[in-house]
Amino acid sequence: MRVLYLSDNISDHNRRFLQALAASCHEVYFLDLTQQVLAEQWLPTGVQNLELEHGIQPGADPHQFAEVLPEFQSLLRQIRLDVLHAGPVQTCGYVGALSGFHPLVVMSWGSDILVDAERDSEWRDATRVALSAAEGFFCDCDMVRVAAQRYASISNQRIVQFPWGMKRRSFTPHGQSEDREKLGFGPDSFVLISTRSWEPLYDTEVLLRAFHRAYQQNKRLRLLLLGDGSMASRIRNLIIEHELDRVVIFPGMIARKDMPRWFRSADAYLSCAKSDGTSVSLLEAMATGLPVVVTDIPSNREWIVEGKNGWLARAGSFANFSEKILLAANLSQREAAEMSQRNQRIVAERADWDKNFPALLRLYECLVNSAMAMKA
């Protein structure tokens, strides 16, 4: 079976999908419509990279992505695909729908359905066009599935849903960690870790204000603020303004292979994201055995039960997040151990990439067989 995986970015998430597809013995092609330069060895062995003459600027509107349609259709005629897998919805899913190719599997990235779909009439229309043309749909949580079904009539039988989880044993409590003493953290410190981008969607400013408020009541608190983003100058100014530079460490972007070490250096995970599908970083934290403090939104409620394996705080409320941080810091050793075991068990049962991924391959096969039967 020939599969084209169409996207608008070269993230670790895409590489994970491509690695799994390459291991499936199918003939796999990859096309990034933004034509970003691939790092050496980024493309998994066995995946063929395709290129267009002109790429689209990342973050462009749907009509700008549609400009590549003639060249994209020409490419499709050359490679004679069996399945087109395209996402995000309003960029690559939209181009896939306009191409007229079938069967089409549209993949949601979470925020495309939960946030971007209601940007304006153009984005709403692109959402409907993409989803209405799709024979199959992939998403990572109930919240995204239900939202997508409001734009198009997609039967549950044509939907594959599982979290963009981790390979088994890639994140565990056991193994090397960053040296907390070298980071300047004492033996009694309670270390929080945040790994989300410093972007408005992830409310990094609320996170920092929540930490500051909690720190005023508990001087044991420390924060590993990984990542970077468009709010970098604002965040660094807040750290200086609140005199937190000795208790907040911000090491910048961390290579994925090094992330387990940083999670093991922490005692709890913190995310103030305003909107999310199933967050991979949340699952990584849970797999490492960390209690978590995250936003009270439907996708997080699919994983977190208040007080059982973490805490849920109101979106945008640094005061509420601060309260939940203090609850996490006040766990007894027994309570922390029970929460750790619970989170590890949940991820092992529900977010094992190797167990979940074959469901997507079965959807491909089902759609190809149906298409062949219709042509017969």
Side-chain angles (χ1 to χ4, degrees), residues 183-258:
L183 292 172
F185 299 158
D188 294 331
S189 298
F190 185 88
V191 181
L192 296 148
I193 186 169
S194 169
T195 63
R196 311 308 294 269
S197 299
W198 299 4
E199 301 295 342
L201 178 64
Y202 300 114
D203 238 346
T204 315
E205 184 170 340
V206 164
L207 184 149
L208 200 55
R209 291 185 182 280
F211 174 80
H212 175 242
R213 184 184 177 109
Y215 175 70
Q216 289 177 313
Q217 299 180 58
N218 186 339
K219 298 298 184 182
R220 296 171 50 233
L221 293 178
R222 301 292 185 269
L223 175 62
L224 294 172
L225 190 60
L226 276 56
D228 204 343
S230 64
M231 297 181 65
S233 60
R234 173 64 177 156
I235 296 306
R236 292 191 176 99
N237 287 340
L238 281 172
I239 291 171
I240 295 169
E241 177 186 329
H242 294 304
E243 299 180 346
L244 295 173
D245 49 302
R246 297 183 64 182
V247 294
V248 176
I249 301 295
F250 40 103
M253 300 298 292
I254 303 297
R256 182 163 180 78
K257 65 181 178 61
D258 297 325

Side-chain angles (χ1 to χ4, degrees), residues 40-59:
E40 187 176 357
Q41 298 184 330
W42 183 91
L43 198 69
T45 302
V47 178
Q48 300 179 56
N49 187 47
L50 302 177
E51 296 182 354
L52 299 179
E53 187 175 348
H54 302 291
I56 304 300
Q57 190 71 19

Side-chain angles (χ1 to χ4, degrees), residues 59-121:
D61 289 329
H63 76 273
Q64 294 170 290
F65 274 88
E67 292 173 2
V68 303
L69 188 58
E71 189 179 358
F72 180 63
Q73 288 174 316
S74 175
L75 186 65
L76 290 178
R77 288 191 292 270
Q78 294 173 40
I79 58 177
R80 300 176 62 83
L81 287 181
D82 294 299
V83 176
L84 173 58
H85 176 127
V89 173
Q90 300 88 359
T91 57
C92 299
Y94 184 51
V95 171
L98 294 178
S99 76
F101 181 88
H102 299 285
L104 168 66
V105 175
V106 171
M107 179 171 78
S108 171
W109 283 64
S111 60
D112 52 3
I113 292 292
L114 301 177
V115 179
D116 295 336
E118 290 301 317
R119 281 194 193 184
D120 55 34
S121 59

Side-chain angles (χ1 to χ4, degrees), residues 173 283 285-292 303-311 331 334-350:
L283 299 184
M286 292 171 65
T288 311
L290 299 183
V292 302
W303 296 91
I304 306 303
V305 177
E306 181 77 12
K308 294 293 186 181
N309 64 328
W311 292 268
L331 285 173
R334 178 185 61 80
E335 290 169 330
E338 289 175 353
M339 208 170 268
S340 176
Q341 290 298 319
R342 196 171 291 127
N343 277 341
Q344 292 175 66
R345 185 170 60 252
I346 290 169
V347 172
E349 291 172 355
R350 296 174 52 198

